[in-house]
Amino acid sequence: MSHTLKNKVKITSRVNRIIGQLEAFKKGLEAGDECYQNVNILSSCRGAINGLLLEVIEDHIREHIVDSESKKGAAESGEELIDVLKSFIK
């Protein structure tokens, strides 16, 4: 996953924000915050995770499919991506 290493700082920053959102949800849950506040935080978490997933998928497509040096490598990477997306959509 060389493309992930290139964007390690950016991706790590996104992950840390997601962790912060989840910690805020946990604190709100423990504090007995209103349901709408907890749902709002979870909605933000979902959006952040989807954004992270999109970024990693986009980098994967660019690195291993679009810029692939071999057609076989591109095909294999495409099949791997299809498998990941199938499991994500389930």
Side-chain angles (χ1 to χ4, degrees), residues 4-85:
T4 302
L5 295 177
K6 290 179 191 174
N7 297 316
K8 186 176 182 177
V9 172
K10 187 177 178 183
I11 290 172
T12 301
S13 176
R14 279 180 170 262
V15 169
N16 288 335
R17 275 184 261 139
I18 293 166
I19 291 169
Q21 289 172 317
L22 288 170
E23 287 173 348
F25 173 76
K26 182 180 177 184
K27 285 179 186 176
L29 197 60
E30 290 170 348
D33 288 352
E34 295 293 326
C35 291
Y36 76 90
Q37 291 170 316
N38 291 328
V39 170
N40 190 35
I41 292 172
L42 284 178
S43 178
S44 296
C45 291
R46 180 180 179 188
I49 289 172
N50 285 343
L52 174 62
L53 180 62
L54 179 61
E55 184 173 337
V56 171
I57 288 172
E58 181 181 347
D59 288 348
H60 177 81
I61 290 169
R62 291 188 191 287
E63 177 84 13
H64 297 288
I65 298 173
V66 173
D67 296 335
S68 178
E69 294 181 11
S70 76
K71 190 169 182 160
K72 181 181 178 186
E76 288 173 358
S77 292
E79 290 299 323
E80 289 171 354
L81 181 58
I82 289 168
D83 290 341
V84 168
L85 290 174

